[in-house]
Amino acid sequence: MPATQKPMRYGHTEGHTDVCFDDSGSFIVTCGSDGDVRMWEDLDDDDPKSINVGEKAFSCALKNGKLVTAVSNNTVQVYTFPEGVPDGILTRFTTNANHVVFNRDGTKIAAGSSDFLVKVVDVMDNSQQQAFRGHDAPVLSLSFDPKDIFLASSSCDGTVRVWNVSDQTCAISWPVLQKCNDVVNARSICRLAWQPGAGKLLAVPVEKSVKLYKRETWTNPFDLSDSSISQTLNIVTWSPCGQYLAAGTINGLIVVWNVETKDCMERVKHEKGYAVCGLAWHPTCGRICYTDVEGNLGILENVCDLSSKVSSSKVSSRVEKDYNDLFDGDDTSSAGDFLNDNAVEMPSFSKGIINDEDEDDDLVLAADRLRRRSHVLGDDENSADATMLNTGLHKEEGEDDQAGSIHNLPLTKSQRPFYDGPMPTPRQKPFQPSSTPLHLTHRFMVWNSVGIIRCYNDDQDSAIDVEFHDTSIHHATHLSNAFNYTMGTLSHEAVLLACESTDELASKLHCLHFSSWDSSKEWIVDMPQSEDIEAICLGQGWAAAATTALLLRLFTIGGVQKEIFCLPGPVVSMAGHGEQLCIVYHRGTGFDGDQCLGVQLLELGQKKKQVLHGDPLPLTRKSYLAWLGFSAEGTPCYVDSEGCVRMLNRGLGNTWTPVCNIREHCKGKSDHYWVVGIHEHPQQLRCIPCKGSRFPPTLPRPAVAILSFKLPYCQTATEKGQMEEQFWHSVLFHNYLDYLAKNGYEYEESTKNQAVKEQQELLMKMLALSCKLEREFRCAELASLMTQNAVNLAIKYASRSRKLILAQKLSELAAEKAAELAETQTEEEKEEDFRKKLNAGYSHTTTEWSQPRARNQVEEDTEEREETVPEERPEPHNHGQNLFQSANSPDIPALKSGAVFSSSQGRVNPFKVLVNSKEPAVSVNSTRSTNILDNMNKSSRKPIPLNRAANNEKSPVIKPLVPKPKSKQASAASYFQKRASQGDKTEEVKENPKNSSSETPAACPQNSENQRPKTGFQMWLEENRSHILCDNPDFSDEADIIKEGMIRFRVLSAEERKAWTNKAKGELASDGAEAKKRKREICGAENLEEAAKENLGLSKKQKASDLSANQKLSAFAFKQE
């Protein structure tokens, strides 16, 4: 079986990099030009322990728990392993030490320097040093004889020397290398190596072959080479058994030979052809680690097919160790022995691999135990005694006998039946979103859109720093961490901290309510005994904590305990936003590396409800949850460990849609992005780039990067695929507007209009493209997604393109849409009439005492009506609505306040809210299921403050977004809506004068109160309306006319505007009789009828002279409608 090459990963910055294994093979240790020594559990370890040893580290060696490094400050330093605690300086040189090696038993080290010296130093007593002089150039590399008799060295002077360690004399010298003046100029670093065991052969890489010299005779019996080697060899290393030799070249080729047969066993090429400068063979199995001059780390598995079964077991064990920090390793109650990472430790087995044939039975038992470790479900009969493995296998390695090494293990087939099905996945541990691992001394407890919480937990200090992005919210705060808080979160109102229980103290929830208006700004709650907090989050006015008792505890932000409810499984993570609470938990046990998670989404407002009822949480295969949260606009989102960002699609039945793949933005395979926030407007994925890690360090302060969203649609390289992705991208990222509208929040009207316009433009472009491709059926499908106006435009396009059949189909589609509108408005009319009959005879005088009842009773009745699409209809009770205004569709918010009036209004009918309120009516062209294009303008209504104060039972809705005031355009539109619909009122009165007159008394008082005085701009617009319509015949919306009028009015000089203002004031000051007459004309049906007769009584000749052609056409069109 050929060697398996794993993808390389980032290890250190660009420059020379060295690598070695620890004694057991459990850790890979690397050092590089960044001055760091890193300890990796495996190639997939995203959180290696790191020690900074200096400005640059040139070489490292590890033996017996001692880590020795050659550093750029001319010293050889020693550290404890794996703690990384400095343990002194072994020796110094006058310049850089280039290479350092241990002898076989780890009692001595040899170091070679650029000052031409080689030193041998006793590790326990550095005063015992030996100096070897004789090289005439910097020393490149060293190697101890396994018997500690000889020491081999290579140098830039072109020679390879063998020294007698006892008397420091040179035994032999071979001038086989190319000369140079410094290590950086050397063509090869010539890392030579003695054969393990008896040290019979010394391997020296020379040019394109490896020369082997025989011990004591120093003859060269043979060389090893291969036709695939095209560049100079840089480094060699032996397998632990001494049977195989591996070599790396300066162009990234790794070659492995069988020394006995001289056959080339493996040829592996570096991914990018960089020079291999570090090579280490695993002490017990066929695994080779290598590094290159760019700081990358790589691994070859199953080299020469050594102990493939043991290697696979090691890999299986490593899969479990990968989850050691992230997943529960001790949760074995339901899963059995295979989830307990401590059942059989691989390092103990690795240490026990010996070269002694007498222990074959124990080795067979060990191998059998390893196979059962991966396959057998818990069975007491199949369990081997781990102490027997540890005591019976620890022997000294023989010098000459290699027969008992791991690659010759007689691995027999297990005689007992074994389980070969899918393996359960260890459960993911609970975590706080945007936090870094707990074992770090300096870590982020949270980084979100509000601020950052850092935790420092070292020997000097244990503290928490809170920093706000916007210092106007609160100043930065420094807190002591006496209770060892491990969880933290932050909102605009408070800081929430939590800790686990100890033997003396209970688990605590600590809230710093800095937005409180009183002097007591913090509170602490102790959890019951044996109940620990596992996850916390904050919302608007509430806090939540999930515990090990599978309970979720709710608190107010001031510390009042609220509801408690059970969780269906152990919590994984939680997030809060406004009234929304999102909980992810374990639904069950996953298999084959997959997590089995569920999600609940609750709304904790006045009307509490559960949106997602424990639905399965979709994750990429063999991934886990990495981040959970809400967008700034309130849409739930999450990210898995494979970089897939998913967002809740409220427009598709609360399903999850992938919106970005972070891995596509990563340059290297070991690089990641650490998500801190998501915004839908503007569309931004905010995260921190992490090179060679999954999370950033606290210092230096990381920089936030912004990534774009892209939905994974097919064929996005084509024009059609791009437009499809853009359309659904726009639809998905504007669903939050519908949510805000439905829940009574305020938002920018222009944002909705712009989104609808953008979507309709994309649909028209796709329709035009389909027309060109003769895909007429596809055109009809696209038209079904359009608004009424866009369909009319599509019909024109199809006619001009001479697609008559398509035009006919689109006309039928437009007729169907119109029929749906008519059916909808009929149902709404029946519902409204039914409600009026039910409430006939009731008196609704809105006094201080009746206001809450009026609001609760009337608003609930009218809420549904306001959220649906009220259509323009000819019935008389709609005569107060404006034909030109937009629909109150589900896409547009309506604040629920229409049924309540101030006490000064007197006795009114609250069910006449739609007649007399400022709520605009619907244009005939609007549709219920699609958005409205250019002819829509929504004027949101706000509740009356007096009613809100009186109605304590109905508190105002929490608004996570900053409320936006009503725009000037919307306000101006509300001034004109009654006047603009006079023509409609006349026709309605004609059709049903009796009903109209009967409804007049209820409407009069309210209209008389709500009638506003005219402004100068209103008077100017009335006189200049005809000119605006002449210049802009395409204007069909009142809002467009007002907008154009505003532009023209602003252009007037200050004197002219002042004159119009004075004129308005003068008219206001005219005699009271005239004003009363105007009021009667507006509210009374009889006056409306008189006004209609006066208009109809005008001569045709006079009308023709007064009206332009465009005005006639527009008037005719609206009469038809």
Side-chain angles (χ1 to χ4, degrees):
M1 174 179 176
T4 305
Q5 182 180 18
K6 287 191 173 183
M8 297 193 73
R9 67 164 298 147
Y10 171 85
H12 297 271
T13 56
E14 179 182 349
H16 176 81
T17 313
D18 202 7
V19 62
C20 64
F21 281 98
D22 71 331
D23 298 332
S24 65
S26 301
F27 287 93
I28 305 165
V29 180
T30 62
C31 68
S33 58
D34 52 8
D36 289 338
V37 174
R38 295 196 170 100
M39 305 168 193
W40 312 76
E41 291 187 11
D42 203 348
L43 192 65
D44 299 327
D45 185 3
D46 289 319
D47 183 25
K49 184 170 183 177
S50 184
I51 310 167
N52 186 266
V53 296
E55 187 178 345
K56 287 186 178 181
F58 297 109
S59 179
C60 62
L62 181 57
K63 203 84 169 180
N64 296 342
K66 297 289 184 181
L67 174 64
V68 176
T69 59
V71 192
S72 57
N73 61 358
N74 308 342
T75 62
V76 176
Q77 302 173 3
V78 61
Y79 294 81
T80 61
F81 180 84
E83 294 83 9
V85 179
D87 201 18
I89 295 175
L90 289 180
T91 187
R92 296 178 186 273
F93 294 92
T94 58
T95 184
N96 296 335
N98 297 321
H99 195 209
V100 61
V101 291
F102 270 104
N103 65 349
R104 177 180 175 181
D105 57 10
T107 58
K108 295 179 180 179
I109 64 105
S113 170
S114 292
D115 62 4
F116 313 165
L117 272 183
V118 175
K119 289 185 180 181
V120 174
V121 186
D122 190 284
V123 175
M124 302 308 293
D125 183 7
N126 63 351
S127 63
Q128 298 182 25
Q129 296 190 12
Q130 296 171 296
F132 298 79
R133 292 179 171 85
H135 282 298
D136 299 323
V139 179
L140 290 170
S141 66
L142 303 165
S143 181
F144 261 115
D145 165 27
K147 294 185 177 181
D148 283 351
I149 297 174
F150 300 108
L151 174 69
S153 65
S154 62
S155 171
C156 291
D157 61 9
T159 64
V160 173
R161 294 173 181 258
V162 179
W163 311 82
N164 283 305
V165 176
S166 57
D167 57 6
Q168 296 124 61
T169 58
C170 180
I172 189 74
S173 176
W174 298 291
V176 292
L177 304 178
Q178 186 176 347
K179 292 183 179 181
C180 60
N181 60 358
D182 199 0
V183 177
V184 295
N185 298 324
R187 184 168 177 80
S188 166
I189 59 174
C190 192
R191 289 286 162 89
L192 34 75
W194 288 92
Q195 186 179 26
K200 293 180 179 179
L201 297 171
L202 173 64
V204 182
V206 179
E207 296 296 331
K208 299 178 183 178
S209 64
V210 179
K211 291 187 177 292
L212 289 110
Y213 295 95
K214 200 167 184 181
R215 183 190 184 87
E216 294 179 346
T217 63
W218 311 122
T219 57
N220 178 214
F222 60 91
D223 294 347
L224 296 175
S225 62
D226 187 70
S227 58
S228 62
I229 300 174
S230 60
Q231 296 288 332
T232 304
L233 292 168
N234 212 28
I235 184 171
V236 295
T237 187
W238 290 85
S239 65
C241 63
Q243 186 177 354
Y244 300 99
L245 181 71
T249 69
I250 61 173
N251 67 338
L253 179 67
I254 298 175
V255 183
V256 182
W257 290 277
N258 186 325
V259 178
E260 294 177 3
T261 62
K262 305 178 184 60
D263 294 331
C264 182
M265 307 295 292
E266 305 280 0
R267 301 177 187 88
V268 179
K269 193 78 173 77
H270 187 286
E271 295 174 358
K272 298 183 180 179
Y274 297 144
V276 177
C277 58
L279 207 59
W281 205 303
H282 193 280
T284 59
C285 66
R287 173 187 288 187
I288 292 177
C289 269
Y290 60 98
T291 54
D292 59 31
V293 293
E294 294 293 323
N296 299 309
L297 172 66
I299 287 184
L300 300 181
E301 298 276 6
N302 305 321
V303 180
C304 301
D305 205 20
L306 288 182
S307 60
S308 59
K309 288 185 180 290
V310 175
S311 178
S312 65
S313 297
K314 172 69 178 176
V315 172
S316 176
S317 175
R318 175 64 200 142
V319 169
E320 293 180 15
K321 292 179 75 176
D322 269 343
Y323 292 101
N324 198 27
D325 286 333
L326 185 65
F327 301 108
D328 289 319
D330 56 354
D331 187 7
T332 60
S333 57
S334 61
D337 187 45
F338 39 75
L339 282 184
N340 187 353
D341 197 40
N342 298 321
V344 173
E345 286 286 81
M346 282 306 301
S348 65
F349 175 70
S350 302
K351 290 178 182 176
I353 302 307
I354 61 169
N355 297 324
D356 192 342
E357 291 181 338
D358 294 337
E359 301 295 336
D360 278 349
D361 292 341
D362 289 338
L363 291 171
V364 170
L365 179 60
D368 194 25
R369 170 68 173 171
L370 279 173
R371 282 198 299 275
R372 293 201 304 274
R373 172 90 169 95
S374 298
H375 299 297
V376 182
L377 292 171
D379 186 353
D380 291 339
E381 293 182 1
N382 293 343
S383 302
D385 189 356
T387 57
M388 181 175 65
L389 294 180
N390 292 331
T391 56
L393 299 180
H394 287 270
K395 301 286 184 183
E396 271 304 316
E397 183 179 4
E399 292 181 355
D400 299 304
D401 188 4
Q402 307 294 333
S405 59
I406 188 65
H407 71 283
N408 289 325
L409 284 180
L411 298 174
T412 61
K413 184 176 180 180
S414 175
Q415 299 301 316
R416 295 181 176 89
F418 61 90
Y419 176 73
D420 198 22
M423 301 302 296
T425 305
R427 285 182 174 177
Q428 180 177 356
K429 288 182 180 179
F431 72 95
Q432 287 295 116
S434 298
S435 65
T436 51
L438 292 174
H439 67 265
L440 300 176
T441 55
H442 292 187
R443 58 181 288 259
F444 291 110
M445 298 181 80
V446 71
W447 183 322
N448 60 21
S449 59
V450 179
I452 305 168
I453 304 180
R454 295 184 184 87
C455 179
Y456 304 96
N457 191 9
D458 49 28
D459 299 336
Q460 291 80 21
D461 190 18
S462 180
I464 294 172
D465 283 343
V466 183
E467 174 189 335
F468 292 86
H469 300 315
D470 184 359
T471 53
S472 64
I473 297 174
H474 198 268
H475 58 79
T477 306
H478 181 82
L479 309 169
S480 63
N481 193 11
F483 293 114
N484 190 26
Y485 293 117
T486 57
M487 290 163 274
T489 187
L490 185 64
S491 75
H492 288 91
E493 295 179 312
V495 176
L496 190 65
L497 303 170
C499 64
E500 297 178 349
S501 62
T502 62
D503 295 338
E504 298 83 15
L505 299 173
S507 179
K508 297 179 183 295
L509 186 69
H510 186 182
C511 180
L512 285 82
H513 184 202
F514 55 79
S515 66
S516 172
W517 46 265
D518 65 4
S519 58
S520 302
K521 294 188 180 297
E522 61 180 301
W523 50 269
I524 297 179
V525 173
D526 289 352
M527 294 295 113
Q529 189 176 3
S530 71
E531 184 175 342
D532 280 357
I533 298 173
E534 291 189 305
I536 57 175
C537 70
L538 281 170
Q540 191 81 10
W542 56 267
T547 68
T548 52
L550 300 185
L551 294 177
L552 192 134
R553 300 178 177 271
L554 289 173
F555 302 83
T556 66
I557 203 68
V560 179
Q561 296 188 61
K562 295 182 70 181
E563 294 89 349
I564 299 175
F565 62 90
C566 293
L567 295 173
V571 70
V572 176
S573 191
M574 292 198 309
H577 182 279
E579 297 174 350
Q580 300 179 87
L581 169 63
C582 187
I583 312 163
V584 173
Y585 60 91
H586 289 285
R587 297 177 64 245
T589 301
F591 286 87
D592 286 342
D594 295 333
Q595 294 291 319
C596 182
L597 304 181
V599 57
Q600 285 185 333
L601 180 62
L602 299 95
E603 292 185 1
L604 305 177
Q606 200 70 20
K607 296 181 180 179
K608 296 178 177 62
K609 64 178 180 178
Q610 191 169 355
V611 180
L612 296 177
H613 303 262
D615 301 347
L617 189 74
L619 291 172
T620 308
R621 289 298 310 276
K622 300 187 184 302
S623 69
Y624 52 88
L625 183 66
W627 183 86
L628 175 71
F630 288 84
S631 69
E633 290 73 21
T635 305
C637 309
Y638 68 94
V639 184
D640 62 31
S641 58
E642 293 299 314
C644 183
V645 183
R646 294 178 177 86
M647 179 180 288
L648 188 69
N649 189 347
R650 300 184 194 270
L652 194 63
N654 291 325
T655 53
W656 296 96
T657 300
V659 295
C660 180
N661 187 356
I662 298 177
R663 298 298 304 164
E664 293 179 356
H665 299 272
C666 295
K667 294 180 180 178
K669 293 183 178 178
S670 60
D671 297 341
H672 296 88
Y673 281 96
W674 193 65
V675 177
V676 296
I678 292 177
H679 291 251
E680 294 177 83
H681 184 71
Q683 294 172 19
Q684 292 178 348
L685 174 60
R686 299 187 178 184
C687 44
I688 296 171
C690 305
K691 192 169 181 64
S693 177
R694 285 191 176 272
F695 50 83
T698 54
L699 291 174
R701 183 188 177 95
V704 177
I706 295 176
L707 304 182
S708 58
F709 294 101
K710 183 179 179 183
L711 275 60
Y713 276 84
C714 304
Q715 297 178 327
T716 51
T718 64
E719 188 179 3
K720 171 180 174 289
Q722 284 178 2
M723 288 190 290
E724 288 169 340
E725 192 275 337
Q726 290 170 10
F727 173 75
W728 292 111
H729 185 125
S730 176
V731 171
L732 176 65
F733 278 86
H734 289 92
N735 279 340
Y736 77 92
L737 296 172
D738 301 338
Y739 173 77
L740 297 181
K742 184 178 179 182
N743 289 274
Y745 296 131
E746 294 180 353
Y747 65 92
E748 285 287 351
E749 205 53 56
S750 58
T751 305
K752 178 71 173 178
N753 296 337
Q754 183 62 32
V756 173
K757 187 175 181 181
E758 174 188 341
Q759 292 161 17
Q760 299 307 311
E761 287 176 356
L762 286 167
L763 287 172
M764 283 303 303
K765 288 179 182 178
M766 286 190 280
L767 184 136
L769 181 63
S770 300
C771 266
K772 290 178 182 177
L773 298 175
E774 302 293 333
R775 299 276 187 177
E776 296 188 13
F777 187 84
R778 186 181 294 170
C779 293
E781 291 175 324
L782 291 169
S784 65
L785 301 173
M786 295 179 181
T787 61
Q788 188 80 20
N789 290 345
V791 172
N792 294 336
L793 191 60
I795 294 171
K796 291 180 182 178
Y797 182 86
S799 301
R800 290 176 183 175
S801 302
R802 299 186 179 180
K803 309 283 185 183
L804 300 181
I805 297 177
L806 175 61
Q808 179 62 31
K809 294 291 183 184
L810 296 181
S811 300
E812 294 172 3
L813 178 65
E816 290 176 8
K817 286 180 179 284
E820 290 175 4
L821 288 175
E823 183 181 350
T824 304
Q825 80 179 33
T826 304
E827 291 176 359
E828 289 172 356
E829 288 170 5
K830 289 179 180 178
E831 183 180 356
E832 188 175 349
D833 291 341
F834 177 72
R835 285 176 178 168
K836 286 181 180 179
K837 289 176 182 177
L838 283 180
N839 290 278
Y842 281 87
S843 173
H844 294 282
T845 305
T846 53
T847 63
E848 182 181 0
W849 301 102
S850 65
Q851 276 182 5
R853 186 170 66 91
R855 179 181 177 91
N856 292 335
Q857 207 170 14
V858 178
E859 183 174 3
E860 287 173 10
D861 289 338
T862 57
E863 188 176 88
E864 264 186 354
R865 186 167 71 244
E866 290 178 358
E867 288 179 350
T868 56
V869 186
E871 304 297 334
E872 177 70 26
R873 43 194 181 263
E875 270 65 16
H877 60 261
N878 274 336
H879 64 79
Q881 293 180 340
N882 184 355
L883 182 66
F884 296 97
Q885 299 296 329
S886 67
N888 183 11
S889 67
D891 297 329
I892 298 174
L895 295 182
K896 305 154 189 171
S897 60
V900 184
F901 312 102
S902 65
S903 57
S904 63
Q905 289 175 328
R907 185 181 298 270
V908 294
N909 181 2
F911 293 98
K912 292 299 293 179
V913 58
L914 290 180
V915 180
N916 300 298
S917 71
K918 303 187 190 80
E919 183 70 14
V922 164
S923 167
V924 176
N925 290 335
S926 62
T927 66
R928 184 175 188 177
S929 60
T930 58
N931 296 315
I932 315 303
L933 254 184
D934 301 325
N935 64 334
M936 296 297 158
N937 182 36
K938 175 71 173 59
S939 175
S940 61
R941 294 171 297 160
K942 297 185 179 179
I944 297 170
L946 175 62
N947 175 65
R948 175 169 288 181
N951 185 9
N952 294 327
E953 298 174 8
K954 184 104 176 168
S955 61
V957 178
I958 296 167
K959 299 185 180 181
L961 301 178
V962 179
K964 299 294 188 298
K966 188 186 295 186
S967 65
K968 292 181 179 178
Q969 179 179 333
S971 302
S974 66
Y975 292 152
F976 284 89
Q977 61 185 26
K978 293 183 175 65
R979 182 170 294 277
S981 57
Q982 289 294 322
D984 273 349
K985 291 179 185 178
T986 304
E987 293 192 3
E988 289 169 5
V989 170
K990 275 185 152 187
E991 289 176 16
N992 198 345
K994 184 177 180 181
N995 289 348
S996 178
S997 60
S998 64
E999 290 175 5
T1000 299
C1004 281
Q1006 186 179 347
N1007 277 341
S1008 64
E1009 290 295 328
N1010 288 342
Q1011 183 67 27
R1012 292 192 180 99
K1014 288 184 181 179
T1015 63
F1017 169 69
Q1018 286 177 286
M1019 296 187 66
W1020 179 89
L1021 185 62
E1022 286 178 2
E1023 293 199 13
N1024 292 274
R1025 179 185 297 272
S1026 58
H1027 301 295
I1028 294 173
L1029 287 173
C1030 288
D1031 297 338
N1032 300 278
D1034 55 335
F1035 280 1
S1036 59
D1037 189 358
E1038 180 68 16
D1040 293 334
I1041 300 173
I1042 296 170
K1043 194 172 182 179
E1044 178 65 23
M1046 284 181 174
I1047 295 171
R1048 297 192 183 188
F1049 190 71
R1050 289 193 191 106
V1051 175
L1052 298 178
S1053 64
E1055 291 77 8
E1056 290 177 309
R1057 290 199 298 271
K1058 190 173 182 181
W1060 281 103
T1061 305
N1062 294 335
K1063 185 177 180 182
K1065 290 179 181 178
E1067 183 176 324
L1068 196 65
S1070 61
D1071 65 275
E1074 291 289 330
K1076 290 178 182 178
K1077 185 177 181 181
R1078 282 200 300 274
K1079 289 182 181 179
R1080 284 197 300 274
E1081 285 176 358
I1082 292 171
C1083 74
E1086 293 84 3
N1087 292 346
L1088 283 174
E1089 191 171 352
E1090 289 174 10
K1093 288 178 180 179
E1094 288 176 7
N1095 288 334
L1096 293 174
L1098 293 174
S1099 64
K1100 293 181 182 179
K1101 186 175 182 180
Q1102 185 180 353
K1103 280 191 176 182
S1105 62
D1106 291 341
L1107 296 177
S1108 65
N1110 285 328
Q1111 284 178 299
K1112 290 180 182 179
L1113 288 173
S1114 59
F1116 175 76
F1118 284 110
K1119 286 178 182 179
Q1120 291 298 316
E1121 289 172 355

